Amino acid sequence: MVILALETATRAGSVALAIDGTCVSTGGDATRPHGHRLPADVLGWLAAYGRDIRDVDLFAVASGPGSFTGLRVGLATVQGLALATGRPAIGVPTLEALAETNLVGPNDRPAVLVACLDGQRGEVFSAAWRVGNADVTIDRCDVLLEPAASRPSDLAAAIAAEAGSRAVTIVGDGGLRYADVFARVVPQAQIVAAPLPLADTTARLAARRAGQAAAPHALRPIYLRPPDASAPKARAAGDHTIRRLGSRDDLGAVEALQRQTFANPWSADSIRWELQHTDVARLYVMEDAGGTVVAYCACWMVFDELHINSLAVDASRRRRGLARRLLTHVLAEAADAGASAATLEVRTSNEAARRLYEGLGFVVEGVRRDYYQDPREDAIILWKRALQGHRGERRGPP
């Protein structure tokens, strides 16, 4: 059996190819977003071993938790490849794949094994198992702590309560990032990096669970952190107010601005889905004194990067500095939340938008050919690499 496994839950990601029980794997390039690398990296990996997607019997993907954007790209890639070939697909929980890396090969077997991913925002994604005899896989271990998103100190206390004086291994970048917290509360814990790429153990677990594979549309991501359900208090911006919306708010005004501004607008239901099913989506609106929505900004917080997806101002209110005020507010909140950089794309012909972004310190760093459709046009990629100057800044210039 030939299994292709993909993991995009982490920033670097990884890919693996298992052929009749022999697995080869490699980590990805953490400097490039998953969306820029896939599916080309996967196809290149197959070609390096003299294979193409028609040779794959089963597609596997680490299904979460992890970066929302990464998970979405990974699942979409696997779904597309599986649909193109008519092959089944299977999702493997990321934390199980992470724990399995410590059970492959001659590693010492702890009494308690904790998988711990850095969840950003001062949290970790984790789960814990009781490990039995030396010849063991994660499937045979008893769950001690169910998968959850929590503060490192809370996880450390939970591990201490479950483990007592027994040997503990914490595997993953979350354990390494908060090693001082775990060392204080669970002093006997060994904290290690994953010894294998997560795609490697995703492939191994997929091989053992091949009977659970299904049609690609059945793949579902695992999110442990609920979406932001409540918006912060509205903040004044001159004679306007800026506030962050949640999925329960009326999004009709945002949809109307989308239709007015873009050739291929999102519906209110699509925007609501983003807010309900992600822990990275942010939606801001600017309202005038009468409560009318005159502008909005939709974006994602991905690790320490702010990705601005769309920004629009009502046609009758343009050229009044509203977009600059709104974007300044959005950048400030992102900086306060830990973002260190921001990025976006804009049509080559949109000179007004380019002046706005460049006036706020964004710099052109690349071009995506034929990125936009209807009409077809290149996209200019802009980055602002230093957001910390916006910390605490809630208003644009008057």
Side-chain angles (χ1 to χ4, degrees), residues 111 113 128-132 136-145:
L113 177 59
W129 294 263
R130 181 186 297 111
V131 180
V136 69
T137 69
I138 198 62
D139 307 87
R140 299 179 183 177
C141 297
D142 295 327
V143 175
L144 285 179
L145 297 174

Side-chain angles (χ1 to χ4, degrees), residues 298-319:
C299 50
W300 292 337
M301 271 280 289
V302 183
F303 292 104
D304 59 348
E305 295 175 355
L306 179 72
H307 292 245
I308 299 167
N309 298 326
S310 63
L311 173 70
V313 177
D314 182 86
S316 65
R317 314 287 184 107
R318 293 172 186 168
R319 303 184 185 279

Side-chain angles (χ1 to χ4, degrees), residues 216-239:
H217 68 263
L219 288 174
R220 293 290 183 273
I222 298 172
Y223 299 128
L224 297 183
R225 185 160 50 204
D228 299 307
S230 58
K233 292 181 180 179
R235 300 182 183 274
D239 54 347

Side-chain angles (χ1 to χ4, degrees), residues 90-110:
I90 185 170
V92 174
T94 309
L95 293 173
E96 293 181 18
L98 177 57
E100 183 75 7
T101 65
N102 194 258
L103 300 175
V104 175
N107 301 307
D108 292 336
R109 300 290 188 262

Side-chain angles (χ1 to χ4, degrees), residues 101-225:
T101 65
N102 194 258
L103 300 175
V104 175
N107 301 307
D108 292 336
R109 300 290 188 262
V112 175
L113 177 59
V114 182
C116 186
L117 278 175
D118 184 6
Q120 303 295 312
R121 303 187 186 183
E123 292 185 329
V124 291
F125 300 131
S126 65
W129 294 263
R130 181 186 297 111
V131 180
N133 57 51
D135 183 20
V136 69
T137 69
I138 198 62
D139 307 87
R140 299 179 183 177
C141 297
D142 295 327
V143 175
L144 285 179
L145 297 174
E146 294 287 346
S150 62
R151 294 182 300 175
S153 57
D154 292 338
L155 173 60
I159 295 170
E162 291 289 346
S165 60
R166 291 180 293 173
V168 175
T169 293
I170 302 173
V171 59
D173 61 357
L176 295 171
R177 178 171 182 178
Y178 298 102
D180 57 335
V181 176
F182 295 113
R184 285 196 302 269
V185 183
V186 195
Q188 77 274 27
Q190 180 184 20
I191 302 171
V192 298
L196 291 170
L198 296 189
D200 187 293
T201 46
T202 297
R204 295 171 191 266
L205 290 172
R208 296 203 294 266
R209 302 172 185 179
Q212 301 173 24
H217 68 263
L219 288 174
R220 293 290 183 273
I222 298 172
Y223 299 128
L224 297 183
R225 185 160 50 204

